[in-house]
């Protein structure tokens, strides 16, 4: 009888330990799942909750940007400012502690948005957006931050570019706009040109013949002068007409126009065709060390890039 009682006691104890371990495991698993699903808002996130955060930060004097629901660098700086002021870890990320301090309820899904279906638009984020912003900035269409977040400023710049290049000005970078920008998005190459391939080839040869060895900006500037002449009523209205106008370019006279351009010259020509004009409308350039034309040397110089004076 005594042995049976001891056996029963041991069995009950083992069962109790097993149940306790099982409960602890299930509880821990529940906690882990809950933690893994908790939403975190950070640079690149978008949505209504980001908008709420921006409005709160604006009301409290931490933020002076647009309340557009896009978590860009400005929003991140405001969050860092708020966190420092409130004794929180200043990482610019709105997790549970920062959200609680703000009185904001976070959901259970990420608010981030990225490139999809080969289209960039307001709300997109990532490296492709960063490339887009840098190109638009280089060409004078955009003056905002190159932060990889497609906000209202980026959209306005895209529309400006589209209008100047005869595209539908909807602020969305689809296949045609990406081609005009010389960009690759959505995993497929769309590096076409807004002009004909023959124009690009000829302009690339001018750049290579006239400006190889110059800085990249200097090479784009030479291409831009050609295009500025095409637009001017004082010159022929085609690239070929401008390039082959009598006495216009040394590379035509000495035969360097026939050299095969390198990839840098091609890229510089493409950037000029897409709208980047480092010369701000200049129609002439010359090297003061080698120029002999008294008329050219008498022209007022607007800027100097490398070995070339632009006027």
């Amino acid at each position: 009888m005594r042995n049976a009682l001891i056996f029963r006691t041991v069995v009950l104890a083992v069962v109790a330990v097993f149940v306790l371990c099982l409960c602890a495991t299930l509880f821990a698993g529940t906690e882990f799942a809950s933690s893994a699903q908790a939403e975190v808002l950070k640079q690149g996130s978008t949505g209504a909750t980001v908008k709420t955060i921006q409005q709160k930060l604006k009301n409290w004097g931490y933020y002076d940007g647009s309340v557009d629901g896009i978590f860009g660098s400005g929003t991140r700086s405001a969050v860092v400012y708020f966190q420092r002021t409130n004794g929180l870890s200043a990482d610019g990320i709105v997790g549970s502690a920062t959200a609680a301090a703000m009185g904001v309820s976070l959901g259970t899904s990420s608010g981030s948005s990225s490139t999809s279906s080969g289209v960039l638009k307001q709300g997109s984020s990532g490296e492709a957006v960063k490339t887009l912003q840098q190109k638009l900035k280089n060409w004078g269409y955009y003056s905002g931050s190159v932060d990889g977040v497609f906000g209202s400023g980026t959209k306005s710049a895209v529309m400006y570019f589209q209008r100047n290049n005869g595209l539908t000005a909807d602020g969305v970078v689809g296949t045609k706009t990406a081609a005009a920008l010389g960009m690759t998005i959505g995993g497929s190459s769309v590096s076409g040109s807004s002009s004909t391939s023959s124009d690009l080839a000829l302009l690339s040869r001018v750049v290579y013949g006239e400006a190889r060895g110059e800085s990249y900006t200097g090479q784009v500037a030479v291409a831009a002068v050609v295009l500025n002449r095409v637009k001017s009523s004082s010159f022929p209205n085609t690239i070929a007409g401008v390039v082959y106008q009598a006495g216009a370019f040394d590379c035509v006279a000495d035969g360097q126009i026939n050299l095969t351009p390198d990839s840098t010259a091609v890229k510089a020509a493409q950037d000029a065709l897409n709208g980047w004009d480092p010369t701000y409308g200049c129609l002439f350039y010359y090297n003061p060390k080698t120029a002999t034309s008294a008329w050219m040397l008498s022209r007022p110089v607007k800027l100097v890039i490398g070995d070339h004076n632009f006027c």
Side-chain angles (χ1 to χ4, degrees), residues 192-212:
S193 168
S194 56
S195 67
T196 66
S197 58
S198 60
D199 280 345
L200 175 59
L202 178 56
L203 192 59
S204 300
R205 296 208 307 270
V206 173
V207 171
Y208 190 70
E210 293 278 314
R212 65 181 181 277

Side-chain angles (χ1 to χ4, degrees), residues 46-90:
T46 62
T49 309
V50 176
K51 209 166 190 177
T52 299
I53 289 170
Q54 289 172 324
Q55 189 60 63
K56 283 177 175 284
L57 293 170
K58 199 177 189 82
N59 292 343
W60 300 334
Y62 294 100
Y63 179 65
D64 60 1
S66 300
V67 180
D68 55 7
I70 299 172
F71 200 129
S73 57
T75 304
R76 183 182 184 281
S77 297
V79 169
V80 169
Y81 183 14
F82 173 84
Q83 289 170 325
R84 285 194 189 119
T85 305
N86 289 273
L88 298 160
S89 176

